[in-house]
Amino acid sequence: MRNLFLSSHVRIAVLILATLASGAGCTSSEREEKPSTTRQHADESRAGSAAPTWTTTVDTLTDTIVVRTGITTDDETNLRLVEELRIGEDPQDEERALGDPRFGLPGPNNGMYVWDQSATMLREYDADGRFLRDVGGKGAGPGEYRSANGMGRLKDGRLVLWDPQNLRMALYDSLGRTVAHWRHLGTLGIDNWRGLLVDTADNVYALSRFQSVTGGREAYPGEREGYLVLDRHGEIRDSIMRPSWLARPAVLVSRMNGGAMIWDYVPFAAQPKWTVSPLGYVVSGTGSTYAITLNRPGAPLRIERVLKPVAVTSHERSAAEAAVTTDMRSVNRQWTWNGPAIPSVKAFFTDLRTSAEGRIWVERVMDGEPARQDSSSAPSGILAPHGSGADRILLPTTMPQERYGFDVYGPDGYLLGTVQVPLRSRITYMRGDQVWGVIMDDMGRAEVVRWRVEPSLASREHAQAHE
């Protein structure tokens, strides 16, 4: 059984038969003649209560609102994940046992949909974790699928599953019955649990790779990626490209026979990140500074937080250099380091996510003891070219997994708290005060979990709004 867990510093090497361009960062720093507003949150004696205890300052610039959280510790901002439901923990129950669950999604009546990669099966469970049904089945017929590149639910209860191997999206009603198929030719990625997003207006965003506009240059990783936007009927209505202002990622390159190449991220380096909010705008930033921009039309907002940099230890540096060199020389034995050096401090954040209602989840490495090596972390791999008939070619992965968590912000930029993620787990979906994800047990089995966030994110937003 092979599990692809995506961690903060997962090293993914991709075969690139395409092409390289650069983007420039841009932020405004001109101030208007408007005063700053500072909010000192109440009830400082209750660090774990619903009332936040830190200071937030709002500055109005000529074209951007900056919401800045003052100095505070993770203990002060701590939010707990309380487990509510776990599926897959009974290997003797064939209906409950999951071979290789990759992602979960909330289902009707607080139930859950789970994609089981090893069985190529979409399973549905009720609110207590009892198996209800298999939705669809493996194949190419009506309602069937051969892969999954993400799922989403529309307001009318329909579930959308993107099946790139069958070049379509399958739609099911709340009883698991097939109601439609949308023809979709996109094949970017297989088993990408973040390949499909749904916004609050019921638009569906499908991860896509666009044609090169770089004049023959090799594209740097992620340069041509974006989203095709489909309406609730499956018709393409728009597209969103990678923001042009984002810088190039810090990568290393190794050439293969025939002129193709693989690439690998520079360990611990700050990388440009972006995603799409369900509220209809791009969220972006680069981890060299703790600054995340919500590119709201006509009213951009920038989130800033003051954090102490986390140093890269000598042990981490040597282990990272050895791991990358092993991977790259598995393709080219003469490879030598050909990119930026490993930095002395870690990126302030390593990923950007959004919840179903538009909260911003900023992933970052947490202070303290690093997690032990997790063999389920996503291995590096070479993606064979489309049409070659080959699957991912696995490369060795020896980088240790780090302990990580998320700073959670409301759409207005105010910090709600910091969620530390359990070891050997990843979060795949967030909605309200509930979080869905996958965790590895002590025996190496993957299970799907639903957690509850405490103190409540909603209560903290309410407390801030009524101060």
Side-chain angles (χ1 to χ4, degrees), residues 160-241:
V160 183
L161 182 147
W162 177 12
D163 175 12
Q165 289 196 34
N166 280 329
L167 299 177
R168 66 190 185 189
M169 295 181 184
L171 280 78
Y172 307 93
D173 66 14
S174 59
L175 297 178
R177 299 173 298 198
T178 305
V179 294
H181 288 103
W182 295 343
R183 185 71 171 165
H184 184 69
L185 300 181
T187 59
L188 178 59
I190 301 294
D191 185 39
N192 183 341
W193 54 276
R194 294 174 66 176
L196 203 65
L197 307 173
V198 177
D199 70 13
T200 56
D202 258 7
N203 297 305
V204 176
Y205 297 72
L207 189 65
S208 299
R209 179 173 290 148
F210 296 91
Q211 290 185 350
S212 174
V213 292
T214 59
R217 292 184 295 107
E218 288 180 320
Y220 57 78
E223 179 185 9
R224 295 188 292 119
E225 290 185 5
Y227 290 91
L228 287 176
V229 185
L230 287 65
D231 63 22
R232 63 188 306 273
H233 305 292
E235 299 295 328
I236 296 176
R237 59 177 298 270
D238 203 351
S239 62
I240 298 178
M241 293 287 293

Side-chain angles (χ1 to χ4, degrees), residues 112-443:
M112 190 186 304
Y113 293 111
V114 177
W115 174 255
D116 189 342
Q117 174 68 14
S118 63
T120 314
M121 188 64 66
L122 175 60
R123 305 187 188 278
E124 184 180 354
Y125 299 83
D126 69 12
D128 297 318
R130 290 186 293 264
F131 175 80
L132 291 178
R133 61 179 65 89
D134 288 330
V135 180
K138 185 177 181 179
E144 295 179 335
Y145 36 71
R146 294 191 294 156
S147 59
N149 219 20
M151 298 186 295
R153 288 189 69 201
L154 304 179
K155 292 179 181 177
D156 60 11
R158 288 180 298 166
L159 175 72
V160 183
L161 182 147
W162 177 12
D163 175 12
Q165 289 196 34
N166 280 329
L167 299 177
R168 66 190 185 189
M169 295 181 184
L171 280 78
Y172 307 93
D173 66 14
S174 59
L175 297 178
R177 299 173 298 198
T178 305
V179 294
H181 288 103
W182 295 343
R183 185 71 171 165
H184 184 69
L185 300 181
T187 59
L188 178 59
I190 301 294
D191 185 39
N192 183 341
W193 54 276
R194 294 174 66 176
L196 203 65
L197 307 173
V198 177
D199 70 13
T200 56
D202 258 7
N203 297 305
V204 176
Y205 297 72
L207 189 65
S208 299
R209 179 173 290 148
F210 296 91
Q211 290 185 350
S212 174
V213 292
T214 59
R217 292 184 295 107
E218 288 180 320
Y220 57 78
E223 179 185 9
R224 295 188 292 119
E225 290 185 5
Y227 290 91
L228 287 176
V229 185
L230 287 65
D231 63 22
R232 63 188 306 273
H233 305 292
E235 299 295 328
I236 296 176
R237 59 177 298 270
D238 203 351
S239 62
I240 298 178
M241 293 287 293
R242 179 187 191 274
S244 60
W245 57 83
L246 284 180
R248 296 187 184 191
V251 297
L252 303 159
V253 177
S254 181
R255 293 283 171 181
M256 300 175 62
N257 293 335
M261 69 179 183
I262 63 167
W263 56 267
D264 207 348
Y265 291 117
V266 174
F268 307 112
Q271 305 290 357
K273 299 293 180 180
W274 73 284
T275 188
V276 179
S277 167
L279 301 180
Y281 48 77
V282 168
V283 178
S284 63
T286 301
S288 54
T289 58
Y290 198 113
I292 297 98
T293 301
L294 282 56
N295 297 277
R296 306 180 306 182
L301 184 147
R302 188 164 70 245
I303 295 171
E304 297 180 357
R305 184 180 177 189
V306 180
L307 284 177
K308 179 182 177 182
V310 178
V312 177
T313 67
S314 58
H315 173 73
E316 288 173 327
R317 179 183 300 276
S318 60
E321 288 177 347
V324 170
T325 300
T326 298
D327 284 356
M328 302 302 262
R329 287 183 179 174
S330 67
V331 174
N332 178 357
R333 294 183 181 180
Q334 306 302 316
W335 182 84
T336 56
W337 200 275
N338 57 13
I342 294 177
S344 59
V345 296
K346 299 176 182 179
F348 282 103
F349 61 87
T350 54
D351 201 4
L352 298 175
R353 307 273 300 280
T354 55
S355 68
E357 58 283 296
R359 294 187 183 118
I360 311 303
W361 288 59
V362 181
E363 180 187 288
R364 63 183 178 86
V365 175
M366 307 294 290
D367 290 324
E369 179 185 358
R372 66 178 182 267
Q373 171 68 29
D374 181 2
S375 60
S376 68
S377 294
S380 297
I382 306 171
L383 295 182
H386 177 63
S388 68
D391 293 324
R392 183 188 295 265
I393 304 168
L394 299 184
L395 297 178
T397 296
T398 55
M399 286 279 287
Q401 184 188 20
E402 295 176 289
R403 189 185 300 272
Y404 74 104
F406 290 90
D407 293 336
V408 185
Y409 296 86
D412 60 359
Y414 280 83
L415 177 66
L416 302 178
T418 300
V419 174
Q420 184 162 304
V421 179
L423 296 180
R424 297 176 296 167
S425 65
R426 59 175 165 82
I427 289 176
T428 62
Y429 192 80
M430 305 84 73
R431 185 185 69 184
D433 287 324
Q434 291 181 313
V435 175
W436 289 257
V438 180
I439 191 169
M440 298 292 291
D441 67 13
D442 292 336
M443 301 299 293

Side-chain angles (χ1 to χ4, degrees), residues 39 41-42 46 49-52 54 79 357 359 409-412 414-417 433 455-467:
R39 179 184 296 179
H41 294 296
R46 296 187 296 146
S49 72
W54 45 87
L79 295 166
E357 58 283 296
R359 294 187 183 118
Y409 296 86
D412 60 359
Y414 280 83
L415 177 66
L416 302 178
D433 287 324
S456 164
L457 296 170
S459 65
R460 287 201 162 180
E461 283 183 321
H462 180 79
Q464 290 174 345
H466 289 80
E467 285 182 354

